[in-house]
Amino acid sequence: MRAFTYERARSPLAAAAAVAGKRGARFIAGGTNLLDLMKLEIETPTHLVDVQDIGLDRIEPTDGGGLRIGTLVTNTALAADPRVRRDYGVLTRAIVAGASGQLRNKATVGGNLLQRTRCPYFYDTNQACNKRKPGSGCAAIGGVNRLLGVIGTSDACIATNPGDMAVALRLLDASVETVDGQGKTRTMPIAEFHRLPGDTPHVETALQPGELITAVTLPRPLGGRHLYHKVRDRASYAFAIVSVAAVIQPDGSGRAAFGGVAPRPWRVEAAEAAMRDGAAAVAAQVFAGARPTHENAFKVPLAERTLAGVMAEARAENRA
Amino acid sequence: MKFDTPAGTNPIDRMKVVGQPHERVEGPLKTTGTAAYAYEHQQYPGAPVYGYVVGAAIAKGRIDSIDRTAAQHMPGVLAIVTAQDLGALGFGPLGKGDKNTANLLGGPDIEHYHQAVAIVVAESFEQARAAANAVHVAYTRGQGRFDLAQEKPNAKALTGSDADTATGDFETAFAAAPVQIDQTYTTPDQNHAMMEPFATIAWWEGDALSLWTSNQMIAWNREDLATTLSLPLEKVRIMSPYVGGGFGGKLFLRSDAVMASLGAKAVGRPVKLALPRPFIMNNATHRPATIQRIRLGATRDGKLVAIGHQSWSGDLPGGGPEVATQQTKLLYAGANRMTAMRLAELDLPEGNAMRAPGEAPGLMALEIAVDEMAEKLKMDPVAFRVLNDTQVDPEKPTRPFSQRNLVRCLKEGAEHFGWHRRLATPAQVREGRWLVGMGVAAAFRNNINIASAARVRLNDQGIVTVETDMTDIGTGSYTIIAQTAAEMMGVGIDRVVVRLGDSAFPVSSGSGGQFGANSSTSGVYAACVKLREAVAQRLGYDPERAEFADGLVRADNRSATLAEAAQAGELVAEGRIEWGNLSKQFQQSTFGAHFVEAAVDSFTGEIRVRRMLAVCAAGRILNPRTARSQMIGAMTMGVGGALMEELAVDKRFGFFVNHDLAGYEVPVHADIPHQEVHFIDEADATVSPMKAKGVGELGLAGVGAAVANAVYNATGVRVRDYPITLDKHLAGLPTLT
């Protein structure tokens, strides 16, 4: 870990201004990912702006009938909120499928959206990684990559976004609200928040330097069955090999988004027209253009089978 | 004491203390956080400073240069020691302990990834870590061999106990057998993943070196550290009173001890050093991967007539094989048999023992092959194993097993587990989206005895204190040693103090190879026999007639308390057990049967173990509570080995890629279902005066195959490459409709 300076901001604007005004500065909230990366010197901020005292830790209804979730709401609080459990069950299910109770107590909504890939080559500073060190190459391509991406990847990077919560937010068409160092606010759809790697895999989000996530908003509830199935090699405390978030209506229509397969939560809205035709019809469109490796080609049929299981579960719940 | 004839009746047979499910005597220290582990001790001269190791960034090659300019000027940095600095510290080139393969300090030659190349010592841990990252090492990468499958044709035959074996005429018998199995199985590299990392606090007082460390074998560690640093043995003291798991990874001297010693020499202060988890997987040892070919030939009525087992593994030059064929020599009857191991040279990190070395991967393969043969014969897998049981060494039929209750383990286990409910045809049982199956495998591990000594003291309060360099690696050594001394001296366990893990104490067996419990308690038995004589003598009793019970010594209508015997001064006795050739006359082994029920998600292929049962026959169980803990821990490890554990090799750059506990998955609580353990009531008089064997490795042997066979029974897809992850059977699962 490199030496760094530290301050606690008192307001969102002060925090954004503090980071915008200092090269190498970073926000810190729960720190569940950033601190690990600092210990390994994968992240080497020179200055940390702690945002834990800036408020933004409440969940409130919006005028549009949805919810605004402050950026500092913990994963635990968000998953346990009665409104979320009732109207956005897929979000609760996705969150509790991730990490451990201890980590969820610390992890925040904004921080969780920014968690970085778990690609093992990103974590080993002896290895080439375009995301960690732009231009150094990608050791994961041609290496051990069973858990890495099958779609949306590039020749520069095949890492996945490791999140669970983000997959549910993508499914729910959440929006991300931000403020920058000048106090300018903006709102962007979650679909535009995470970037595909292309030639610049180190650029992971649409955030500008110093831009702070202030809230995530959810539109009106969708109704239907809310399901999240996370497939992994052990029963808990592992990142997804494949995950499926779905909201399925009684007539079989609905939405599906996929985790563990791509550099961002993966959802193809056009494919959802085929939801009533079954998982194969959906998956064929969602994974059109997939470019898996020899080791992770199984993820494509696995994603389809996982969706089929989710659809079957929704049907079973409807019958019950 | 030389143990060369089977034990008769002795004080242990009273089983008043031994054999009882005593709670761990050191348990309260551990549950209250007051048992100090290696990194936590505070007994040394002066305040400590901190070390951090720099590991090689390449697997094979040479160091061109080390630039330490930036690092040595960083805050708090006290010293940086590399192989180039040994002379300045008064050391010659480092030696190498005879149990190490690679050098524990590399440079200029690099033998494996993350081989230690420097230690940075600083005032704080954070300063040492930061400076270690600022040591810039330039390398020239050499050509390495990292792929076992590719190196298999170059693998060499072995000699001595690892040499090929042949009995009868395997090839002819196999070719003629009406029913045959010929399959290849693979097991991956595995890491011990013990909870406590390698850790040492080292300091020098003049030319004498002392270590708090975490190690299973105090005497080996002491010898190999003395050899490595060219010190006289008596100048090295090793203390390791508590060990937070080792599983074979801590049998040997490792880089934490050597690097902390060098760092302490450089700064003249105690140096604390723990290896970070992401460093351990490539820096320390691992269980080597295997490729195994098994050929079985049987008559149509299910008698094995030909058993062939070949195994290939790899290690650094000068290393050894994973002895995967070892158990196949003895497990089943069959007139024609062969085993062969081949060792390839690989430039991956050093391979060595991990819990049940040989048995674990060997039985993972053999016990699938046996399941496959039973299926081909249309026989029940339990009945098939029972039919092919042997009560003699199949290679030497005049040599009997001392005790062999494998059949009883299988039959009692089957009865208790509800094995009759298993359907022989796989993929027939569905519960909702789950496919459900049952599997069985034999557990088999040989008994090993190691010479073991102890000192026993009796003071004027009647307290018995045992001192031996035996270690407690979480197994319960403190407790069973206290039970042994209590039984021998006729006192309650609360009158016994046990002090372990210090090279100032008599040399014990240490902990490993399932030999620790029986060997170390036998050493304590020997010491207590001497102390009993000394007590009787002091009291003027006839040692032959003195009885020790209820805190009293009685003989010829006289009696005295133990405390009275020591009124004129502490009594001290030292004893050592040595072993004759009973293990040559008898094959001494431990047996068991593992039963597993597993469910497989028909959509995703995810595997969940639902129930586990082990029935074991392992001689006298010294403490059913600690023995059960060892069993369920081993069964948990077996589930890990079956379903998830694999050090993933980057075959281009030669290192284990998933080198932390996020990437190297071991079971979590949610993976482990109800586990049941039964011990068959036994006592084996041929093995020791304790009549005990051990269970620490038996509990793991066979578990992987029992899981694999249950998964197969659930799905009908036979996976022969461990770990059995969902991708390996997904395509064969029932089509979704």
Side-chain angles (χ1 to χ4, degrees):
Chain A
M1 187 181 278
R2 303 265 178 89
F4 58 90
T5 52
Y6 172 88
E7 71 178 286
R8 286 178 90 97
R10 298 293 163 195
S11 72
L13 178 56
V19 169
K22 196 155 189 171
R23 206 180 146 84
R26 295 286 307 271
F27 302 110
I28 183 166
T32 57
N33 191 201
L34 181 61
L35 291 177
D36 285 349
L37 295 170
M38 287 171 65
K39 289 173 190 171
L40 295 165
E41 297 195 5
I42 294 163
E43 296 264 17
T44 53
T46 55
H47 183 66
L48 289 183
V49 177
D50 192 324
V51 297
Q52 291 184 86
D53 297 337
I54 63 171
L56 306 182
D57 57 353
R58 292 168 62 183
I59 304 173
E60 298 164 321
T62 64
D63 295 341
L67 288 178
R68 173 175 286 103
I69 303 156
T71 191
L72 289 170
V73 172
T74 65
N75 281 184
T76 298
L78 180 57
D81 187 275
R83 294 161 292 185
V84 175
R85 292 178 62 175
R86 184 186 64 221
D87 296 331
Y88 307 95
V90 65
L91 181 55
T92 291
R93 289 181 169 189
I95 290 170
V96 299
S100 64
Q102 294 90 332
L103 288 167
R104 294 195 297 268
N105 286 342
K106 286 298 290 177
T108 62
V109 170
N112 192 274
L113 279 178
L114 295 172
Q115 74 167 317
R116 307 200 66 189
T117 187
R118 307 295 165 149
C119 173
Y121 294 94
F122 173 72
Y123 268 80
D124 188 333
T125 51
N126 293 324
Q127 306 305 322
C129 173
N130 287 319
K131 188 183 278 296
R132 175 167 32 77
K133 192 175 173 192
S136 62
C138 173
I141 295 173
V144 173
N145 51 39
R146 173 174 174 266
L147 298 175
L148 301 183
V150 296
I151 194 162
T153 55
S154 73
D155 291 341
C157 183
I158 59 171
T160 54
N161 180 303
D164 294 299
M165 182 193 77
V167 182
L169 292 179
R170 176 72 180 86
L171 182 84
L172 294 168
D173 282 330
S175 297
V176 180
E177 298 182 356
T178 68
V179 64
D180 71 11
Q182 279 78 49
K184 197 168 120 245
T185 62
R186 65 168 173 155
T187 301
M188 75 186 94
I190 185 93
E192 293 170 16
F193 183 78
H194 291 109
R195 291 284 174 86
L196 292 183
D199 295 332
T200 55
H202 59 290
V203 181
E204 294 176 351
T205 70
L207 292 176
Q208 297 299 310
E211 191 173 5
L212 174 71
I213 299 171
T214 52
V216 171
T217 56
L218 300 177
R220 300 170 59 85
L222 295 167
R225 300 287 176 194
H226 286 229
L227 297 158
Y228 190 77
H229 191 125
K230 181 177 183 179
V231 179
R232 40 198 158 171
D233 288 325
R234 63 181 170 193
S236 179
Y237 205 50
F239 294 97
I241 298 173
V242 159
S243 71
V244 173
V247 172
I248 299 177
Q249 304 298 338
D251 66 357
S253 65
R255 304 177 174 187
F258 297 81
V261 293
R264 66 183 186 201
W266 198 252
R267 181 179 170 206
V268 177
E269 279 87 339
E272 291 166 359
M275 284 290 281
R276 296 175 67 179
D277 303 327
V282 177
Q285 292 182 63
V286 170
F287 291 97
R291 26 176 284 158
T293 68
H294 170 70
E295 283 190 7
N296 69 18
F298 73 96
K299 283 192 175 194
V300 177
L302 176 63
E304 178 191 322
R305 295 183 73 105
T306 307
L307 177 61
V310 163
M311 288 174 160
E313 204 176 325
R315 286 195 298 273
E317 284 187 16
N318 283 333
R319 281 196 298 270
Chain B
M1 177 183 290
K2 182 90 175 257
F3 185 78
D4 49 13
T5 52
T9 301
N10 68 41
I12 299 296
D13 293 324
R14 295 184 290 188
M15 302 270 286
K16 282 186 177 166
V17 194
V18 169
Q20 301 304 313
H22 277 286
E23 294 180 354
R24 284 168 196 267
V25 295
E26 85 290 11
L29 294 178
K30 289 181 174 171
T31 53
T32 56
T34 47
Y37 286 81
Y39 199 74
E40 303 170 325
H41 291 281
Q42 301 189 11
Q43 293 77 37
Y44 35 76
V49 291
Y50 295 81
Y52 203 90
V53 175
V54 179
I58 60 166
K60 178 84 178 161
R62 277 179 71 82
I63 294 175
D64 294 330
S65 63
I66 300 178
D67 179 358
R68 61 181 92 187
T69 322
Q72 68 196 11
H73 292 108
M74 285 172 69
V77 173
L78 301 168
I80 299 171
V81 181
T82 71
Q84 300 164 351
D85 307 307
L86 294 168
L89 293 178
F91 293 105
L94 294 188
K96 194 168 76 179
D98 63 5
K99 293 161 204 78
N100 293 124
T101 304
N103 291 295
L104 294 170
L105 171 60
D109 293 325
I110 297 301
E111 294 162 283
H112 63 87
Y113 194 70
H114 277 175
Q115 184 177 27
V117 297
I119 179 174
V120 177
V121 183
E123 293 284 355
S124 78
F125 168 77
E126 289 78 9
Q127 289 168 333
R129 181 177 58 186
N133 274 316
V135 174
H136 297 293
V137 185
Y139 301 92
T140 297
R141 213 183 269 273
Q143 193 71 33
R145 299 152 294 178
F146 308 124
D147 185 345
L148 176 60
Q150 195 177 310
E151 294 303 318
K152 187 175 167 236
N154 305 323
K156 301 275 194 304
L158 298 146
T159 56
S161 61
D162 297 331
D164 295 359
T165 62
T167 303
D169 180 352
F170 169 78
E171 295 294 344
T172 305
F174 178 71
V179 186
Q180 298 172 338
I181 289 289
D182 181 355
Q183 291 291 354
T184 297
Y185 307 84
T186 64
T187 63
D189 297 287
Q190 293 181 333
N191 189 270
H192 312 83
M194 73 295 275
M195 193 77 95
E196 184 199 24
F198 294 91
T200 294
I201 302 172
W203 70 96
W204 295 80
E205 291 168 275
D207 56 357
L209 172 63
S210 298
L211 265 64
W212 291 111
T213 192
S214 183
N215 193 273
Q216 300 173 224
M217 304 290 291
I218 301 301
W220 290 5
N221 204 33
R222 186 187 193 202
E223 283 160 20
D224 282 354
L225 184 57
T227 300
T228 303
L229 299 178
S230 302
L231 296 171
L233 194 59
E234 63 274 15
K235 293 293 183 186
V236 178
R237 177 147 180 216
I238 303 290
M239 291 172 289
S240 185
Y242 300 107
V243 178
F247 308 117
K250 293 176 183 165
L251 288 168
F252 315 108
L253 177 72
R254 297 305 311 166
S255 66
D256 57 311
V258 173
M259 300 307 284
S261 300
L262 294 175
K265 187 75 169 180
V267 300
R269 292 169 67 180
V271 168
K272 293 179 74 155
L273 171 62
L275 301 186
R277 185 69 62 179
F279 186 66
I280 289 175
M281 306 270 184
N282 286 284
N283 177 260
T285 61
H286 66 278
R287 186 204 299 283
T290 66
I291 300 169
Q292 301 179 49
R293 182 188 184 196
I294 296 182
R295 286 174 289 171
L296 302 177
T299 60
R300 292 203 190 282
D301 58 357
K303 283 275 190 187
L304 284 168
V305 292
I307 302 173
H309 192 168
Q310 296 156 274
S311 177
W312 291 260
S313 63
D315 202 359
L316 286 164
E322 178 70 22
V323 290
T325 64
Q326 191 173 253
Q327 299 308 87
T328 306
K329 298 179 206 170
L330 291 161
L331 186 47
Y332 295 110
N336 305 286
R337 44 210 307 139
M338 62 82 67
T339 69
M341 290 187 287
R342 295 291 178 269
L343 178 63
E345 288 193 349
L346 292 178
D347 299 299
L348 289 171
E350 182 168 334
N352 214 317
M354 177 169 143
R355 197 176 201 173
E359 291 86 13
L363 291 181
M364 282 164 88
L366 179 67
E367 287 294 284
I368 293 186
V370 167
D371 199 64
E372 297 198 63
M373 177 56 101
E375 185 182 35
K376 210 162 182 179
L377 288 162
K378 297 189 169 29
M379 283 183 73
D380 180 88
V382 170
F384 177 64
R385 286 176 172 88
V386 170
L387 182 67
N388 288 285
D389 186 48
T390 177
Q391 292 293 317
V392 296
D393 176 347
E395 292 183 352
K396 203 192 277 181
T398 55
R399 180 170 172 260
F401 281 89
S402 61
Q403 258 186 345
R404 178 167 162 131
N405 271 322
L406 174 62
V407 167
R408 223 178 120 188
C409 293
L410 286 162
K411 287 184 169 172
E412 289 185 14
E415 169 83 24
H416 193 78
F417 197 68
W419 181 253
H420 66 278
R421 292 199 300 273
R422 172 184 176 271
L423 299 182
T425 308
Q428 299 302 302
V429 181
R430 268 188 179 261
E431 288 177 20
R433 63 191 286 164
W434 296 95
L435 301 160
V436 184
M438 288 190 214
V440 66
F444 179 36
R445 160 87 196 181
N446 292 332
N447 184 65
I448 301 171
N449 289 335
I450 308 275
S452 196
R455 186 157 54 224
V456 198
R457 302 172 182 277
L458 174 67
N459 72 10
D460 60 5
Q461 304 300 304
I463 298 293
V464 178
T465 299
V466 185
E467 295 172 341
T468 166
D469 84 350
M470 180 61 185
T471 49
D472 189 324
I473 59 174
T475 42
S477 307
Y478 278 103
T479 312
I480 57 172
I481 284 172
Q483 288 175 274
T484 302
E487 194 79 81
M488 288 299 290
M489 301 311 297
V491 298
I493 196 169
D494 59 324
R495 309 299 285 165
V496 181
V497 174
V498 180
R499 301 174 68 200
L500 300 182
D502 188 333
S503 61
F505 299 151
V507 174
S508 72
S509 61
S511 297
Q514 195 172 286
F515 53 65
N518 182 42
S519 300
S520 71
T521 55
S522 295
V524 173
Y525 173 95
C528 288
V529 166
K530 287 198 173 173
L531 183 61
R532 287 163 60 114
E533 287 168 8
V535 167
Q537 224 155 34
R538 176 74 66 83
L539 292 169
Y541 294 2
D542 178 356
E544 295 293 316
R545 303 167 70 92
E547 288 180 12
F548 292 71
D550 309 318
L552 299 174
V553 195
R554 293 192 190 88
D556 302 321
N557 297 322
R558 297 164 63 196
S559 81
T561 64
L562 274 184
E564 283 164 357
Q567 287 312 304
E570 186 186 48
L571 287 165
V572 183
E574 197 166 322
R576 183 170 194 260
I577 190 101
E578 291 166 14
W579 309 97
N581 65 357
L582 285 171
S583 66
K584 295 208 167 52
Q585 289 176 43
F586 299 98
Q587 176 55 45
Q588 301 165 334
S589 303
T590 61
F591 301 89
H594 288 287
F595 291 83
V596 169
E597 181 178 305
V600 178
D601 186 315
S602 59
F603 288 98
T604 63
E606 290 164 282
I607 300 162
R608 297 288 179 259
V609 174
R610 288 183 162 189
R611 288 195 294 142
M612 303 181 82
L613 166 68
V615 181
C616 300
R620 175 174 283 157
I621 299 302
L622 300 175
N623 181 326
R625 185 191 298 257
T626 54
R628 178 179 180 278
S629 289
Q630 285 214 68
M631 287 296 302
I632 63 175
M635 289 154 73
T636 301
M637 202 172 212
V639 171
L643 300 181
M644 60 194 80
E645 290 188 44
E646 174 177 20
L647 287 167
V649 181
D650 187 309
K651 292 171 186 160
R652 305 159 305 169
F653 301 125
F655 71 107
F656 300 131
V657 174
N658 51 340
H659 52 69
D660 59 29
L661 288 179
Y664 185 84
E665 293 185 12
V666 297
V668 296
H669 284 89
D671 291 298
I672 301 304
H674 182 66
Q675 296 174 311
E676 208 171 324
V677 180
H678 291 196
F679 295 112
I680 286 178
D681 191 13
E682 279 190 346
D684 189 338
T686 74
V687 293
S688 78
M690 303 301 293
K691 305 176 184 173
K693 296 172 194 171
V695 297
E697 320 217 349
L698 181 69
L700 177 57
V703 180
V707 174
N709 294 337
V711 170
Y712 170 74
N713 186 241
T715 63
V717 184
R718 184 66 81 175
V719 178
R720 300 183 182 87
D721 300 296
Y722 289 98
I724 304 169
T725 48
L726 60 93
D727 43 308
K728 293 175 185 165
H729 63 197
L730 195 65
L733 293 182
T735 317
L736 303 177
T737 49

